[in-house]
Amino acid sequence: MATLLLQVAGAALGTALGGPVGGAIGQALGGLAGATVDQAWLGGAGGNKVVEGPRLKEVNGLAATEGAAIPRVYGRARLGGQLIWATRFEEEIKLSITRSKSGGKGGRSQKTYETTYSYHANLAIGLCEGEIAFIRRIWADGRELDVNTVVMRVHHGSEMQEPDPLILAKEAGEAPAYRGLAYVVFERFPLADYGNRIPQFDFEVVRAVDGLGAMIRAVALTPGAGEFVYDIRTVSHEPEPGVTESLTRHQLYGGSDVDTSLGHLVSLCPNLRRISLVVTWFGDDLRAGSCSVAPRVEVAHKPTVGGEWSVASLNRTSARSVSQVEGRPAFGGTPSDESVIALIRRLRFDYGLEVVLYPFLMMDIPAGNSLPDPYSGTSGQPRYPWRGRMTCDPAPGRPGSPEGGSDAAAQVSAFVGTVVPADMSVSGNAVTCAKPEEWSYRRLVMHCAMLAQAAGGVEGFVIGSELPGLTQLRGASGYPMVDHLLAIAD
């Protein structure tokens, strides 16, 4: 600043005394004097430099409107809210020192002292009349906020809610509980990303309404396919160097996907009592006598952090991969054993729900296969068929079909297998089978039964679902698949 001022003054004085030439000389001398003054002001002794960062002078952002109506929400709505409480901004001062050298060898060394300021806000935002179920998403200045990066408490607006502990502490115990009002409290919310001001918030508020939600007593947790879809831990992998991708969290409004979903579910269905937990293995042929049943992974190579995939003593390198469609897995893989055990415990002991374990079969038969079709006799079975289409070969109604004879029962027996409870054992979260080479329907059911045992038990178990092509198949005497299901149930 001194350089500019003294340049102008020197030019004016030189022009008055010596014309244009005097003006040029005066401007140069004034600039030289101004530079010296600036260096003395900004650099200090020894050539050091002091830099002062921007500092907040006033509070801007949300405002409270006196007499504003309190919204009443039914179902789901997006609300802006009203600021109902706030403290002065908390200021953090950070001093950093950097060293630089100018002029090459033998040049002068300079230190730069830089002071920066960051701010945090404590505030409460009133939303609507309570009692709400939960807040699903939050936006700050139009960008969705990751709730895991802030300290936030949601008060659902019950008539019995207590004052927020932060408000209580800041107000020396004289704080309202805002009973009947749903509100959110942010503690030390960082303002740096919002220009050191309180951003404009929007909240997606969900409130349960009377009707269907209160009538629901049981749900099935699907799809049951996905290597870590049931994992409550933080599991991630690197699809490419330097890029981390979460395998258990794909939203910004909660923790793991399964935990967040369950929390929302029990909030909307207060009378929920039972969860059916689906665990998927894969079949590979519509011909019962040729079909194997085994767990599969999505891709053979996927290094993970936070958890390793393992099912039935198989790891990622020893398990088969699901087929692909346009370069992507056609299915999610089988949920890892460890995640199934942990989720059963979470459902029973943390959420207080009854668990029904549901061993499920999907048919991983891709397009362009050359497997003989039991229904047409031609080469190539339908792509990704329904498990209920599994039958004997040839299928009932076709020439040479074994239906009604002993060969039909033999084909069904090959699909069901021979694994019995005595063949199974569990150590910690690892389930092993004394017949490791047998991949059969019995192996699937007995394996899931051992997972239930390792988790501390379940209240129900489903077998034989969606297998009409087999349960309706007649043998020499009766229905062999039905007999096998009765034996498995025993």
Side-chain angles (χ1 to χ4, degrees):
M1 181 63 72
T3 302
L4 179 61
L5 292 176
L6 292 181
Q7 277 182 333
V8 174
L13 182 61
T15 301
L17 297 178
V21 175
I25 295 173
Q27 183 178 16
L29 293 174
L32 181 62
T36 302
V37 174
D38 280 341
Q39 179 64 32
W41 285 354
L42 299 178
N48 295 331
K49 187 176 181 181
V50 178
V51 178
E52 187 85 4
R55 194 172 189 182
L56 193 62
K57 301 298 184 183
E58 59 183 16
V59 177
N60 294 316
L62 285 174
T65 303
E66 185 176 355
I70 298 177
R72 181 178 293 173
V73 172
Y74 297 91
R76 182 172 62 178
R78 181 166 173 168
L79 304 173
Q82 292 281 328
L83 183 65
I84 59 176
W85 176 85
T87 65
R88 295 181 181 274
F89 286 175
E90 295 183 12
E91 182 181 72
E92 286 187 355
I93 303 174
K94 182 179 179 181
L95 177 65
S96 60
I97 303 174
T98 57
R99 290 180 172 84
S100 60
K101 191 174 183 180
S102 60
K105 185 176 181 180
R108 186 176 62 175
S109 177
Q110 183 185 55
K111 291 182 182 179
T112 300
Y113 299 87
E114 183 174 5
T115 304
T116 57
Y117 301 89
S118 60
Y119 296 90
H120 297 82
N122 299 310
L123 65 151
I125 301 175
L127 299 175
C128 63
E129 181 182 285
E131 182 170 354
I132 65 172
F134 54 86
I135 293 174
R136 186 168 180 267
R137 289 185 290 177
I138 301 174
W139 294 268
D141 282 351
R143 293 177 294 171
E144 189 172 356
L145 180 68
D146 186 346
V147 299
N148 283 0
T149 64
V150 298
V151 178
M152 180 187 77
R153 287 180 295 278
V154 178
H155 297 267
H156 294 79
S158 76
E159 295 296 339
M160 302 298 292
Q161 70 185 10
E162 296 296 323
D164 184 82
L166 176 64
I167 301 178
L168 205 60
K170 293 292 185 179
E171 302 299 334
E174 298 293 331
Y178 301 107
R179 288 174 178 159
L181 177 71
Y183 70 101
V184 174
V185 175
F186 290 103
E187 185 170 342
R188 302 195 80 251
F189 183 87
L191 302 177
D193 291 339
Y194 308 99
N196 280 334
R197 62 173 180 81
I198 299 176
Q200 293 296 325
F201 287 102
D202 286 287
F203 302 85
E204 184 178 8
V205 179
V206 180
R207 181 179 183 180
V209 295
D210 294 335
L212 180 61
M215 298 167 61
I216 294 176
R217 300 291 188 274
V219 298
L221 198 58
T222 60
E227 295 172 356
F228 299 99
V229 70
Y230 289 153
D231 215 306
I232 58 180
R233 302 169 299 176
T234 300
V235 183
S236 61
H237 81 120
E238 289 190 359
E240 56 186 82
V243 177
T244 300
E245 182 179 278
S246 176
L247 298 174
T248 57
R249 184 175 186 252
H250 299 86
Q251 36 71 36
L252 300 178
Y253 44 85
S256 67
D257 292 334
V258 67
D259 250 346
T260 302
S261 300
L262 288 170
H264 290 179
L265 178 64
V266 297
S267 296
L268 293 175
C269 304
N271 296 316
L272 185 69
R273 292 293 175 268
R274 178 168 290 195
I275 290 280
S276 180
L277 185 60
V278 179
V279 177
T280 297
W281 284 24
F282 297 88
D284 56 6
D285 202 314
L286 285 177
R287 299 169 298 165
S290 302
C291 180
S292 66
V293 179
R296 296 194 181 187
V297 294
E298 294 159 14
V299 293
H301 179 72
K302 184 166 69 175
T304 57
V305 177
E308 295 290 335
W309 185 90
S310 177
V311 175
S313 301
L314 299 177
N315 56 30
R316 186 174 297 277
T317 57
S318 58
R320 290 177 60 182
S321 300
V322 297
S323 61
Q324 295 193 342
V325 176
E326 298 180 353
R328 298 174 62 87
F331 301 91
T334 300
S336 68
D337 285 348
E338 191 172 5
S339 68
V340 174
I341 293 172
L343 185 57
I344 292 174
R345 292 171 178 161
R346 175 65 62 91
L347 289 169
R348 297 184 70 230
F349 304 121
D350 294 343
Y351 288 99
L353 297 171
E354 297 177 357
V355 177
V356 174
L357 198 55
Y358 188 173
F360 199 66
L361 185 63
M362 288 186 177
M363 303 304 293
D364 188 10
I365 302 176
N369 68 85
S370 58
L371 298 172
D373 183 5
Y375 291 95
S376 66
T378 60
S379 177
Q381 295 180 9
R383 65 184 182 94
Y384 307 117
W386 178 41
R387 64 204 62 79
R389 297 274 292 165
M390 195 183 309
T391 186
C392 61
D393 184 37
R398 286 195 58 235
S401 174
E403 185 186 28
S406 59
D407 193 34
Q411 292 187 29
V412 171
S413 296
F415 166 74
V416 172
T418 61
V419 175
V420 296
D423 296 323
M424 308 299 297
S425 61
V426 61
S427 176
N429 294 330
V431 177
T432 56
C433 178
K435 299 175 180 177
E437 301 304 317
E438 180 182 311
W439 296 107
S440 61
Y441 186 73
R442 266 185 171 269
R443 175 83 179 270
L444 163 62
V445 174
M446 299 301 168
H447 179 85
C448 288
M450 296 305 292
L451 295 180
Q453 180 176 317
V458 295
E459 284 70 30
F461 208 93
V462 175
I463 60 173
S465 177
E466 297 187 33
L467 294 175
L470 294 178
T471 55
Q472 296 176 15
L473 187 65
R474 292 181 293 108
S477 59
Y479 296 86
M481 186 63 190
V482 175
D483 294 337
H484 281 293
L485 290 175
L486 291 173
I488 293 173
D490 286 341

